[in-house]
């Protein structure tokens, strides 16, 4: 079945460091891909998405490119801030509209001043 | 536009009791999904409702049930609570049941079973 794999962390970075969180997926056809972020004490919120191969999603300085050839959707940010400390979830929405969204295990990020 | 509202935010129950959680989706959203989040298991899909019908169900025992009303509000019920049911229960709504509409999550209900 469809699945999402991502580095689990925790990841600890200094402020202004470069961030990469790896995400790979297994799916039939062409799913849509998402990154969600969960801040402490809150639910998840959409960070960015890409719906077809080679699409680049971007938001708040974060970027991710849908790579069909490597089945990947790695999240990157050039300079992280303390306020980026959160848990990041990679997710896919399968090709049919009748299948549930599948989430990765989440990657905890701590940014220290 | 109001976001997804979940009530209550916190619940403490005793083993063997039952509990009902409520979710009000974003206005106009007709799809509502429920997830259980625990440190060990991550996000586990419970079920999804669309137009008052259950469209998808996760791998949970029959003690977990849900329903959706005509105004798209949803409730989930857990009967005969077990210690392992302690978790954050998240509700998410979506505008449409397609592969591109993102999920909009509430802040969850934290259930503690003692």
């Amino acid at each position: 079945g469809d699945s999402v794999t991502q580095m689990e962390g925790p990841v600890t970075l200094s402020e202004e460091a470069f961030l990469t969180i790896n995400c790979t997926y297994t799916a039939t056809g062409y799913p849509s891909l998402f990154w969600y972020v969960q801040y402490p004490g809150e639910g998840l919120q959409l960070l960015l998405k890409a719906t077809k191969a080679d699409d680049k999603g971007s938001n708040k300085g974060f970027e991710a490119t849908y790579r069909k050839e490597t089945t990947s959707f790695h999240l990157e940010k050039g300079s992280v801030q303390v306020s980026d400390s959160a848990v990041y979830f990679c997710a896919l929405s399968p090709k049919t509209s009748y299948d549930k969204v599948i989430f990765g295990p989440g990657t905890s990020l701590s940014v220290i001043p | 536009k109001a976001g997804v509202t979940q009530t209550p935010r916190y619940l403490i129950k005793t083993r063997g009791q039952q509990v009902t959680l409520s979710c009000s989706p974003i206005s106009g959203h007709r799809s509502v999904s429920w997830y259980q989040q625990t440190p060990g298991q991550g996000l586990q899909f419970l079920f999804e409702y669309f137009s008052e019908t259950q469209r998808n169900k996760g791998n949970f025992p029959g003690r977990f049930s849900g329903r959706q009303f005509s105004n798209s509000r949803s409730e989930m019920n857990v009967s005969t609570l077990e210690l392992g049911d302690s978790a954050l229960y998240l509700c998410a709504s979506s505008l449409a049941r397609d592969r591109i509409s993102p999920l909009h999550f509430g802040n969850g209900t934290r259930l503690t079973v003692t």
Side-chain angles (χ1 to χ4, degrees):
Chain A
D2 295 356
S3 65
V4 175
T5 303
Q6 64 178 109
M7 52 193 290
E8 293 198 30
V11 175
T12 302
L13 294 174
S14 297
E15 209 166 18
E16 298 184 3
F18 184 86
L19 169 71
T20 299
I21 300 177
N22 291 336
C23 170
T24 57
Y25 68 91
T26 302
T28 55
Y30 302 96
S32 291
L33 301 173
F34 304 82
W35 277 101
Y36 287 85
V37 58
Q38 184 177 32
Y39 298 102
E42 299 182 9
L44 284 70
Q45 57 184 269
L46 178 69
L47 183 57
L48 52 84
K49 71 175 186 181
T51 59
K52 61 183 188 296
D54 299 324
D55 266 2
K56 177 186 281 189
S58 61
N59 186 26
K60 299 180 181 179
F62 291 89
E63 292 183 341
T65 301
Y66 189 160
R67 302 285 189 198
K68 180 176 176 297
E69 63 277 10
T70 55
T71 62
S72 66
F73 192 53
H74 304 322
L75 182 68
E76 297 182 335
K77 187 176 185 182
S79 176
V80 294
Q81 305 301 311
V82 172
S83 56
D84 294 326
S85 298
V87 181
Y88 293 82
F89 292 88
C90 185
L92 72 81
S93 181
K95 63 173 183 174
T96 72
S97 61
Y98 305 108
D99 292 330
K100 62 183 185 292
V101 174
I102 296 167
F103 286 86
T107 300
S108 175
L109 170 67
S110 293
V111 180
I112 54 178
Chain B
K1 203 174 205 182
V4 177
T5 303
Q6 291 188 246
T7 56
R9 284 299 308 273
Y10 302 94
L11 266 177
I12 299 175
K13 291 287 187 179
T14 305
R15 268 182 304 174
Q17 289 186 315
Q18 76 163 20
V19 66
T20 299
L21 312 182
S22 180
C23 172
S24 293
I26 290 173
S27 178
H29 286 197
R30 295 165 63 192
S31 173
V32 173
S33 300
W34 288 88
Y35 290 82
Q36 182 195 65
Q37 186 177 28
T38 59
Q41 299 296 318
L43 275 166
Q44 301 286 309
F45 173 77
L46 281 155
F47 24 66
E48 181 212 352
Y49 288 87
F50 184 83
S51 294
E52 302 179 65
T53 301
Q54 187 179 89
R55 302 291 179 161
N56 265 309
K57 189 176 190 309
N59 189 26
F60 277 80
R63 301 185 295 108
F64 292 80
S65 63
R67 59 178 175 168
Q68 186 181 34
F69 302 95
S70 58
N71 60 359
S72 294
R73 191 177 70 84
S74 177
E75 289 181 347
M76 67 163 282
N77 184 77
V78 188
S79 62
T80 319
L81 284 166
E82 300 177 359
L83 294 179
D85 297 333
S86 294
L88 180 66
Y89 289 88
L90 292 166
C91 167
S93 72
S94 179
L95 182 61
R97 295 191 76 242
D98 57 32
R99 46 184 290 283
I100 64 174
S101 295
L103 297 174
H104 298 261
F105 285 83
N107 285 333
T109 294
R110 172 76 61 184
L111 173 65
T112 302
V113 182
T114 61

